[in-house]
Amino acid sequence: MARRALGRAWSLYISSPAAECSISGSTWCQSVRYSTAVEAKGLTQLKAFLREDSGKKISKSIRKGGRVPGVVFSLPQEQELLVSFAAKDIETQLLRLGRTGWGCHIFDVAVMNGDGKKMTHYPAVGRQVHITADTDVVENVTLVHCPPDRHVKVAVPIQIFGEEVCPGLKAGGRINHISRKVRVLARGDSIPESFELNVSALNVGDKLHFSDLVIPENVKLLEDVAAPALKIMRK
């Protein structure tokens, strides 16, 4: 994997919003639609091995072996699970999902025992990734245990479509991305993978607001509904 490409794609510290969890209890509209990774293709598996301890020396040794130290938080009784992942697996997911996508994606963290023959599975949402600035090495990652009935705060990326027929862009305008993500509170089995904003009918000066979003079931919008998400500006 080209580590330099990883460094260009993300800043030094990548993080999703703090995951405040609690146990509780395909929509489309003209301007906005969403997709849910869990419903579409199941959970992405990340294989992990247990590690007995933490600390700089231990973490350095883990990284020398081609692995990344990790922690899974918010297990039952507020326990934490110390694990390590193959560095290439983490890098692949970061390149695939992007900066915000990591923080709203549910993984199947498959923790293997010492001989690698037995796995215990934990659904977990990505939280933070620490990357060294000068080497682009992934130093460590954290995830939050997120079973299907747990609610978690996440920031979902916004994707734009309809640019090729947008009247405002054809007239020489440009898109002002006021926000590139949508903060929501969602169940673990209903986290949207993305929201897509349709600009195909927008003229110069037009906006799309968070109030235009159609929020799927088991998802609560945490943004100011009156705030604009994007605007077509004059160049």
Side-chain angles (χ1 to χ4, degrees), residues 95-109:
L95 287 171
R96 182 174 72 88
L97 296 170
R99 177 175 179 172
T100 306
W102 166 266
C104 66
H105 194 84
I106 296 286
F107 296 94
D108 169 23
V109 179

Side-chain angles (χ1 to χ4, degrees), residues 35-95:
S35 60
T36 305
V38 173
E39 294 177 350
K41 54 193 175 186
L43 299 183
T44 303
Q45 188 175 97
L46 283 177
K47 291 183 179 179
F49 280 99
L50 287 173
R51 55 189 176 99
E52 295 181 356
D53 207 347
S54 59
K56 291 184 178 180
K57 289 185 178 180
I58 294 175
S59 296
K60 185 176 181 179
S61 176
I62 290 173
R63 285 190 289 271
K64 281 186 175 181
R67 303 189 65 78
V68 175
V71 183
V72 180
F73 291 104
S74 297
L75 291 165
Q77 288 77 52
E78 295 301 317
Q79 293 183 349
E80 301 174 0
L81 192 65
L82 299 178
V83 295
S84 69
F85 303 94
K88 63 179 181 180
D89 291 345
I90 298 298
E91 292 164 352
T92 296
Q93 294 308 317
L94 288 173
L95 287 171

Side-chain angles (χ1 to χ4, degrees), residues 142-163:
T142 63
L143 302 97
V144 174
H145 182 230
C146 193
D149 60 348
R150 170 170 285 180
H151 282 73
V152 60
K153 289 182 180 180
V154 294
V156 179
I158 294 174
Q159 297 180 355
I160 308 299
F161 71 103
E163 295 148 292

Side-chain angles (χ1 to χ4, degrees), residues 173-206:
R174 64 177 178 84
I175 298 177
N176 177 19
H177 298 272
I178 301 172
S179 179
R180 294 182 181 272
K181 56 190 176 183
V182 181
R183 294 177 297 125
V184 299
L185 177 68
R187 277 175 53 110
D189 59 359
S190 304
I191 296 176
E193 189 176 42
S194 65
F195 285 98
E196 294 182 334
L197 299 184
N198 182 0
V199 300
S200 62
L202 299 187
N203 292 294
V204 173
D206 288 345

Side-chain angles (χ1 to χ4, degrees), residues 12 63 130-139:
L12 169 64
R63 285 190 289 271
H130 185 204
I131 297 176
T132 302
D134 56 345
T135 63
D136 298 329
V137 172
V138 180
E139 292 285 331

Side-chain angles (χ1 to χ4, degrees), residues 171-174 204-205 232-235:
R174 64 177 178 84
V204 173
I232 304 298
M233 303 282 292
R234 295 187 183 277
K235 286 189 176 180

